[in-house]
Amino acid sequence: MKRLFTTLAVLFLTLIGAQAQDANAQKAREIFNKTYEMVFGSQGCQLHYDVNIIGLYKTNGIIWYKGKKQRFYESRYHSWSDGTTYYLVDTKKKTVDIYSNNDDNKDKYSSKFKFNINDYSYSYEDTPEGYLISLKPKPGIKGFKEARALIDKQTKAPKSVRIKVAFIWAKIAISQFKSGGISDNIFVFPKSQYKDYPTTDHR
């Protein structure tokens, strides 16, 4: 009888633990979905980013998203994508490269970090700084090893993202976040401004 009671107690605790994990994962996904929609939804967004890869590489700039459209601005590189065509300007070399928007060769990271929201397992912690969402790839999924997104509890705006690639963590601090009110004109390449730059069409 004692052994039966012990077995039932262990089983009960296991079930409770599994339910708690499921509830945590569900809550984490709900929070992440909200933030993801604020960033990549049809209303568009704008944010400032600061990238730091263990002190070896640093950069910062502004990026805009609106569905499949994207634009970013850094000190050297500027890009525009209207959802069909991707333009990359190198202000140091004074060149323009043109790609199809779905071409992985348009930058060296795009093919490595393709993201499907359903390819990851989610969990979260309620920290004083915000909700810390952890994403771990499901078996067979290639790309980053783990990601941790810090999200504001009130607004659900992203505050930072840390991405683990091999044994290296890259940190992206996010500020000046705005969701909505993004004009389509932002994503139109201003061809006349770069008419004197040599252009290479990779399409």
Side-chain angles (χ1 to χ4, degrees), residues 55-117:
L56 298 177
Y57 174 77
K58 296 181 180 181
T59 189
N60 65 80
I62 303 172
I63 196 164
W64 295 260
Y65 293 109
K66 193 173 185 180
K68 293 183 178 181
K69 300 174 183 179
Q70 176 184 319
R71 179 185 172 188
F72 79 80
Y73 176 91
E74 293 185 359
S75 58
R76 175 172 176 176
Y77 296 104
H78 307 165
S79 82
W80 290 259
S81 172
D82 58 9
T84 302
T85 307
Y86 178 92
Y87 300 86
L88 178 65
V89 173
D90 185 328
T91 61
K92 183 177 181 180
K93 293 182 178 180
K94 295 187 176 181
T95 59
V96 177
D97 287 280
I98 306 175
Y99 298 87
S100 295
N101 194 59
N102 58 358
D103 188 342
D104 288 341
N105 294 314
K106 66 181 183 287
D107 69 69
K108 61 184 177 180
Y109 299 111
S110 61
S111 61
K112 295 181 180 179
F113 299 108
K114 286 186 174 180
F115 181 80
N116 184 322
I117 195 170

Side-chain angles (χ1 to χ4, degrees), residues 12-182:
F12 175 76
L13 292 174
T14 301
L15 290 172
I16 292 297
Q19 289 176 348
Q21 289 179 348
D22 288 345
N24 182 282
Q26 182 178 355
K27 179 67 174 180
R29 183 63 186 267
E30 289 175 359
I31 297 168
F32 187 84
N33 284 355
K34 175 66 175 178
T35 303
Y36 187 85
E37 175 61 25
M38 291 172 65
V39 175
F40 297 106
S42 59
Q43 78 287 341
C45 86
Q46 172 186 322
L47 60 88
H48 182 275
Y49 61 88
D50 286 273
V51 177
N52 186 340
I53 303 178
I54 60 171
L56 298 177
Y57 174 77
K58 296 181 180 181
T59 189
N60 65 80
I62 303 172
I63 196 164
W64 295 260
Y65 293 109
K66 193 173 185 180
K68 293 183 178 181
K69 300 174 183 179
Q70 176 184 319
R71 179 185 172 188
F72 79 80
Y73 176 91
E74 293 185 359
S75 58
R76 175 172 176 176
Y77 296 104
H78 307 165
S79 82
W80 290 259
S81 172
D82 58 9
T84 302
T85 307
Y86 178 92
Y87 300 86
L88 178 65
V89 173
D90 185 328
T91 61
K92 183 177 181 180
K93 293 182 178 180
K94 295 187 176 181
T95 59
V96 177
D97 287 280
I98 306 175
Y99 298 87
S100 295
N101 194 59
N102 58 358
D103 188 342
D104 288 341
N105 294 314
K106 66 181 183 287
D107 69 69
K108 61 184 177 180
Y109 299 111
S110 61
S111 61
K112 295 181 180 179
F113 299 108
K114 286 186 174 180
F115 181 80
N116 184 322
I117 195 170
N118 296 314
D119 287 344
Y120 297 86
S121 299
Y122 296 78
S123 62
Y124 88 101
E125 296 177 43
D126 188 342
T127 74
E129 294 78 21
Y131 293 122
L132 184 61
I133 310 293
S134 295
L135 291 75
K136 294 185 178 181
K138 295 178 181 178
I141 300 300
K142 297 181 180 180
F144 57 80
K145 302 295 184 182
E146 184 178 352
R148 298 173 184 172
L150 185 63
I151 295 173
D152 186 276
K153 293 181 184 180
Q154 300 300 320
T155 66
K156 302 301 186 293
K159 298 175 70 174
S160 69
V161 178
R162 296 180 67 219
I163 301 173
K164 186 178 184 181
V165 183
F167 300 103
I168 297 174
W169 282 95
K171 182 176 180 179
I172 306 167
I174 298 171
S175 59
Q176 303 172 35
F177 180 78
K178 172 190 174 182
S179 183
I182 306 300

